[in-house]
Amino acid sequence: MQDIEKFISGFNRFQQQYFNDHPSLYGNLRTGQRPGTLLIGCCDSRVDPVLMTGSDPGDMFVVRNIANLVPPCTPTASAGVSSAIEFAVCELEVERVIVLGHARCGGIRALMAPHQAQRETDFVGQWMRIALPVAERVHRDLAHRSSEEQHHACELASILLSLDNLLSYPWLKRRVDEGKLKLHGWYFDLQSGALMAYSARQQQFLPLVCPLPSAH
């Protein structure tokens, strides 16, 4: 019950901030939304993209799933994730798409060390097969590295896989080719607090926001 009370108190603060202190924001949003960014993030409760970026309502269209994956554009693609991407790109005409991965991802851990599900379903395992080629490559190329290093490499590589899969959607690729849409790969390091961004030019993740000295 403490969680419920915390959520209700939080909504009271939200209501005060956006409906009393700054009523014009929702006054404008009542007629519709025009976010400039689609963010595809993980369901992990430690990685809230709106909280992390200080976004206000209406700033960001968010899709969250296990391990922040984007399925390729195929007839059998996940309609839930693919439809949200389609709506953001084709209807809302967002200007950028950010794929936000993070350290210590449970979905990646399940992918790297799969086990037989002890239940009637295995939806997590089925979903994580999207990134199976990445896991296989990491196991092959980094077989001599520690489990932690392999997990980290897979977390980063899965972000790049999702960026590649985004380009398999023809209407999204057209907007990228026309210069109307930018794609970004971000990685949140839970341990240091740093935010990394993928540089296509240097083909590696570089600090976008460095960790605080006290975080080490």
mmCIF file of all heavy atoms in Angstrom, residues 60-89:
data_model
loop_
_atom_site.group_PDB
_atom_site.id
_atom_site.type_symbol
_atom_site.label_atom_id
_atom_site.label_comp_id
_atom_site.label_asym_id
_atom_site.label_seq_id
_atom_site.Cartn_x
_atom_site.Cartn_y
_atom_site.Cartn_z
ATOM 1 N N MET A 60 7.947 14.098 -25.590
ATOM 2 C CA MET A 60 8.535 12.842 -26.040
ATOM 3 C C MET A 60 7.469 11.759 -26.184
ATOM 4 O O MET A 60 6.635 11.570 -25.304
ATOM 5 C CB MET A 60 9.592 12.408 -25.011
ATOM 6 C CG MET A 60 10.411 11.205 -25.390
ATOM 7 S SD MET A 60 11.588 10.787 -24.066
ATOM 8 C CE MET A 60 12.754 12.150 -24.203
ATOM 9 N N PHE A 61 7.489 11.065 -27.317
ATOM 10 C CA PHE A 61 6.644 9.898 -27.542
ATOM 11 C C PHE A 61 7.492 8.685 -27.185
ATOM 12 O O PHE A 61 8.552 8.472 -27.764
ATOM 13 C CB PHE A 61 6.212 9.850 -29.011
ATOM 14 C CG PHE A 61 5.114 8.865 -29.300
ATOM 15 C CD1 PHE A 61 3.790 9.199 -29.089
ATOM 16 C CD2 PHE A 61 5.414 7.614 -29.817
ATOM 17 C CE1 PHE A 61 2.772 8.290 -29.375
ATOM 18 C CE2 PHE A 61 4.406 6.704 -30.102
ATOM 19 C CZ PHE A 61 3.078 7.047 -29.882
ATOM 20 N N VAL A 62 7.039 7.896 -26.214
ATOM 21 C CA VAL A 62 7.892 6.850 -25.644
ATOM 22 C C VAL A 62 7.315 5.465 -25.909
ATOM 23 O O VAL A 62 6.125 5.221 -25.691
ATOM 24 C CB VAL A 62 8.063 7.046 -24.128
ATOM 25 C CG1 VAL A 62 8.919 5.921 -23.534
ATOM 26 C CG2 VAL A 62 8.705 8.406 -23.836
ATOM 27 N N VAL A 63 8.183 4.567 -26.379
ATOM 28 C CA VAL A 63 7.860 3.156 -26.522
ATOM 29 C C VAL A 63 8.833 2.383 -25.650
ATOM 30 O O VAL A 63 10.051 2.543 -25.796
ATOM 31 C CB VAL A 63 8.000 2.681 -27.991
ATOM 32 C CG1 VAL A 63 7.693 1.185 -28.104
ATOM 33 C CG2 VAL A 63 7.107 3.478 -28.905
ATOM 34 N N ARG A 64 8.322 1.559 -24.745
ATOM 35 C CA ARG A 64 9.200 0.788 -23.866
ATOM 36 C C ARG A 64 8.896 -0.696 -24.007
ATOM 37 O O ARG A 64 7.732 -1.106 -24.073
ATOM 38 C CB ARG A 64 9.043 1.247 -22.414
ATOM 39 C CG ARG A 64 9.422 2.703 -22.208
ATOM 40 C CD ARG A 64 9.254 3.156 -20.772
ATOM 41 N NE ARG A 64 10.262 2.575 -19.885
ATOM 42 C CZ ARG A 64 10.387 2.897 -18.601
ATOM 43 N NH1 ARG A 64 9.562 3.792 -18.056
ATOM 44 N NH2 ARG A 64 11.316 2.338 -17.849
ATOM 45 N N ASN A 65 9.949 -1.494 -24.069
ATOM 46 C CA ASN A 65 9.798 -2.935 -24.138
ATOM 47 C C ASN A 65 11.023 -3.589 -23.509
ATOM 48 O O ASN A 65 11.984 -2.900 -23.150
ATOM 49 C CB ASN A 65 9.605 -3.391 -25.592
ATOM 50 C CG ASN A 65 10.798 -3.055 -26.480
ATOM 51 O OD1 ASN A 65 11.910 -3.524 -26.269
ATOM 52 N ND2 ASN A 65 10.573 -2.225 -27.496
ATOM 53 N N ILE A 66 11.008 -4.892 -23.383
ATOM 54 C CA ILE A 66 12.153 -5.597 -22.814
ATOM 55 C C ILE A 66 13.382 -5.378 -23.695
ATOM 56 O O ILE A 66 13.382 -5.693 -24.877
ATOM 57 C CB ILE A 66 11.866 -7.105 -22.692
ATOM 58 C CG1 ILE A 66 10.667 -7.370 -21.776
ATOM 59 C CG2 ILE A 66 13.104 -7.853 -22.178
ATOM 60 C CD1 ILE A 66 10.877 -6.993 -20.337
ATOM 61 N N ALA A 67 14.425 -4.788 -23.125
ATOM 62 C CA ALA A 67 15.733 -4.587 -23.764
ATOM 63 C C ALA A 67 15.711 -3.592 -24.915
ATOM 64 O O ALA A 67 16.588 -3.618 -25.771
ATOM 65 C CB ALA A 67 16.323 -5.923 -24.232
ATOM 66 N N ASN A 68 14.718 -2.693 -24.936
ATOM 67 C CA ASN A 68 14.660 -1.601 -25.926
ATOM 68 C C ASN A 68 14.941 -2.068 -27.353
ATOM 69 O O ASN A 68 15.717 -1.475 -28.092
ATOM 70 C CB ASN A 68 15.631 -0.464 -25.553
ATOM 71 C CG ASN A 68 17.012 -0.922 -25.094
ATOM 72 O OD1 ASN A 68 17.228 -1.110 -23.894
ATOM 73 N ND2 ASN A 68 17.931 -1.123 -26.028
ATOM 74 N N LEU A 69 14.275 -3.156 -27.754
ATOM 75 C CA LEU A 69 14.504 -3.730 -29.076
ATOM 76 C C LEU A 69 13.518 -3.205 -30.112
ATOM 77 O O LEU A 69 12.376 -2.882 -29.796
ATOM 78 C CB LEU A 69 14.405 -5.254 -29.024
ATOM 79 C CG LEU A 69 15.457 -5.981 -28.190
ATOM 80 C CD1 LEU A 69 15.194 -7.480 -28.210
ATOM 81 C CD2 LEU A 69 16.861 -5.671 -28.688
ATOM 82 N N VAL A 70 13.983 -3.132 -31.351
ATOM 83 C CA VAL A 70 13.137 -2.814 -32.497
ATOM 84 C C VAL A 70 13.103 -4.049 -33.390
ATOM 85 O O VAL A 70 14.154 -4.482 -33.869
ATOM 86 C CB VAL A 70 13.676 -1.617 -33.298
ATOM 87 C CG1 VAL A 70 12.860 -1.411 -34.568
ATOM 88 C CG2 VAL A 70 13.668 -0.359 -32.444
ATOM 89 N N PRO A 71 11.923 -4.630 -33.618
ATOM 90 C CA PRO A 71 11.867 -5.773 -34.518
ATOM 91 C C PRO A 71 12.036 -5.311 -35.964
ATOM 92 O O PRO A 71 11.666 -4.185 -36.303
ATOM 93 C CB PRO A 71 10.453 -6.334 -34.292
ATOM 94 C CG PRO A 71 9.655 -5.158 -33.844
ATOM 95 C CD PRO A 71 10.608 -4.281 -33.069
ATOM 96 N N PRO A 72 12.611 -6.146 -36.834
ATOM 97 C CA PRO A 72 12.717 -5.755 -38.242
ATOM 98 C C PRO A 72 11.344 -5.693 -38.877
ATOM 99 O O PRO A 72 10.382 -6.294 -38.386
ATOM 100 C CB PRO A 72 13.572 -6.880 -38.853
ATOM 101 C CG PRO A 72 13.335 -8.059 -37.952
ATOM 102 C CD PRO A 72 13.161 -7.487 -36.571
ATOM 103 N N CYS A 73 11.236 -4.955 -39.968
ATOM 104 C CA CYS A 73 9.960 -4.795 -40.662
ATOM 105 C C CYS A 73 9.675 -6.051 -41.483
ATOM 106 O O CYS A 73 10.198 -6.223 -42.585
ATOM 107 C CB CYS A 73 10.004 -3.568 -41.567
ATOM 108 S SG CYS A 73 8.428 -3.213 -42.383
ATOM 109 N N THR A 74 8.867 -6.932 -40.919
ATOM 110 C CA THR A 74 8.457 -8.160 -41.587
ATOM 111 C C THR A 74 6.963 -8.357 -41.356
ATOM 112 O O THR A 74 6.385 -7.716 -40.468
ATOM 113 C CB THR A 74 9.213 -9.377 -41.029
ATOM 114 O OG1 THR A 74 8.829 -9.573 -39.654
ATOM 115 C CG2 THR A 74 10.730 -9.169 -41.108
ATOM 116 N N PRO A 75 6.322 -9.235 -42.134
ATOM 117 C CA PRO A 75 4.885 -9.481 -41.919
ATOM 118 C C PRO A 75 4.569 -9.982 -40.518
ATOM 119 O O PRO A 75 3.444 -9.848 -40.048
ATOM 120 C CB PRO A 75 4.555 -10.544 -42.978
ATOM 121 C CG PRO A 75 5.582 -10.344 -44.041
ATOM 122 C CD PRO A 75 6.835 -9.935 -43.323
ATOM 123 N N THR A 76 5.561 -10.575 -39.844
ATOM 124 C CA THR A 76 5.326 -11.115 -38.505
ATOM 125 C C THR A 76 5.893 -10.220 -37.402
ATOM 126 O O THR A 76 6.003 -10.629 -36.259
ATOM 127 C CB THR A 76 5.970 -12.512 -38.383
ATOM 128 O OG1 THR A 76 7.381 -12.413 -38.665
ATOM 129 C CG2 THR A 76 5.328 -13.492 -39.361
ATOM 130 N N ALA A 77 6.256 -8.987 -37.730
ATOM 131 C CA ALA A 77 6.814 -8.069 -36.733
ATOM 132 C C ALA A 77 5.801 -7.792 -35.625
ATOM 133 O O ALA A 77 4.583 -7.845 -35.840
ATOM 134 C CB ALA A 77 7.227 -6.760 -37.400
ATOM 135 N N SER A 78 6.323 -7.514 -34.438
ATOM 136 C CA SER A 78 5.458 -7.182 -33.307
ATOM 137 C C SER A 78 4.626 -5.951 -33.624
ATOM 138 O O SER A 78 5.158 -4.853 -33.794
ATOM 139 C CB SER A 78 6.299 -6.925 -32.060
ATOM 140 O OG SER A 78 5.542 -6.314 -31.048
ATOM 141 N N ALA A 79 3.324 -6.136 -33.707
ATOM 142 C CA ALA A 79 2.454 -5.017 -34.080
ATOM 143 C C ALA A 79 2.469 -3.918 -33.025
ATOM 144 O O ALA A 79 2.304 -2.741 -33.356
ATOM 145 C CB ALA A 79 1.026 -5.519 -34.304
ATOM 146 N N GLY A 80 2.675 -4.297 -31.767
ATOM 147 C CA GLY A 80 2.659 -3.286 -30.712
ATOM 148 C C GLY A 80 3.765 -2.268 -30.876
ATOM 149 O O GLY A 80 3.515 -1.056 -30.924
ATOM 150 N N VAL A 81 5.005 -2.734 -30.993
ATOM 151 C CA VAL A 81 6.140 -1.837 -31.139
ATOM 152 C C VAL A 81 6.132 -1.175 -32.514
ATOM 153 O O VAL A 81 6.312 0.039 -32.648
ATOM 154 C CB VAL A 81 7.464 -2.590 -30.912
ATOM 155 C CG1 VAL A 81 8.661 -1.692 -31.213
ATOM 156 C CG2 VAL A 81 7.540 -3.102 -29.479
ATOM 157 N N SER A 82 5.905 -1.975 -33.565
ATOM 158 C CA SER A 82 5.954 -1.446 -34.932
ATOM 159 C C SER A 82 4.861 -0.414 -35.177
ATOM 160 O O SER A 82 5.093 0.586 -35.861
ATOM 161 C CB SER A 82 5.837 -2.591 -35.944
ATOM 162 O OG SER A 82 6.903 -3.509 -35.795
ATOM 163 N N SER A 83 3.687 -0.623 -34.617
ATOM 164 C CA SER A 83 2.599 0.343 -34.811
ATOM 165 C C SER A 83 2.900 1.656 -34.112
ATOM 166 O O SER A 83 2.566 2.739 -34.619
ATOM 167 C CB SER A 83 1.267 -0.236 -34.311
ATOM 168 O OG SER A 83 1.308 -0.461 -32.904
ATOM 169 N N ALA A 84 3.544 1.585 -32.945
ATOM 170 C CA ALA A 84 3.911 2.810 -32.233
ATOM 171 C C ALA A 84 4.960 3.594 -33.014
ATOM 172 O O ALA A 84 4.890 4.830 -33.108
ATOM 173 C CB ALA A 84 4.442 2.469 -30.841
ATOM 174 N N ILE A 85 5.934 2.889 -33.598
ATOM 175 C CA ILE A 85 6.945 3.549 -34.426
ATOM 176 C C ILE A 85 6.287 4.175 -35.651
ATOM 177 O O ILE A 85 6.580 5.322 -36.019
ATOM 178 C CB ILE A 85 8.036 2.546 -34.843
ATOM 179 C CG1 ILE A 85 8.797 2.046 -33.614
ATOM 180 C CG2 ILE A 85 9.009 3.182 -35.835
ATOM 181 C CD1 ILE A 85 9.740 0.897 -33.896
ATOM 182 N N GLU A 86 5.397 3.431 -36.284
ATOM 183 C CA GLU A 86 4.702 3.935 -37.469
ATOM 184 C C GLU A 86 3.903 5.203 -37.148
ATOM 185 O O GLU A 86 3.931 6.181 -37.898
ATOM 186 C CB GLU A 86 3.772 2.857 -38.018
ATOM 187 C CG GLU A 86 3.016 3.246 -39.273
ATOM 188 C CD GLU A 86 2.091 2.142 -39.739
ATOM 189 O OE1 GLU A 86 1.062 1.921 -39.055
ATOM 190 O OE2 GLU A 86 2.392 1.493 -40.756
ATOM 191 N N PHE A 87 3.206 5.181 -36.019
ATOM 192 C CA PHE A 87 2.393 6.340 -35.641
ATOM 193 C C PHE A 87 3.283 7.558 -35.376
ATOM 194 O O PHE A 87 2.980 8.671 -35.829
ATOM 195 C CB PHE A 87 1.572 6.016 -34.393
ATOM 196 C CG PHE A 87 0.653 7.127 -33.963
ATOM 197 C CD1 PHE A 87 -0.523 7.373 -34.647
ATOM 198 C CD2 PHE A 87 0.977 7.946 -32.892
ATOM 199 C CE1 PHE A 87 -1.369 8.409 -34.268
ATOM 200 C CE2 PHE A 87 0.149 8.980 -32.506
ATOM 201 C CZ PHE A 87 -1.033 9.213 -33.202
ATOM 202 N N ALA A 88 4.389 7.336 -34.654
ATOM 203 C CA ALA A 88 5.279 8.451 -34.318
ATOM 204 C C ALA A 88 5.911 9.061 -35.560
ATOM 205 O O ALA A 88 6.025 10.289 -35.681
ATOM 206 C CB ALA A 88 6.366 7.985 -33.349
ATOM 207 N N VAL A 89 6.331 8.206 -36.500
ATOM 208 C CA VAL A 89 7.045 8.682 -37.686
ATOM 209 C C VAL A 89 6.094 9.215 -38.747
ATOM 210 O O VAL A 89 6.315 10.295 -39.315
ATOM 211 C CB VAL A 89 7.922 7.551 -38.271
ATOM 212 C CG1 VAL A 89 8.539 7.968 -39.605
ATOM 213 C CG2 VAL A 89 9.020 7.167 -37.283
#
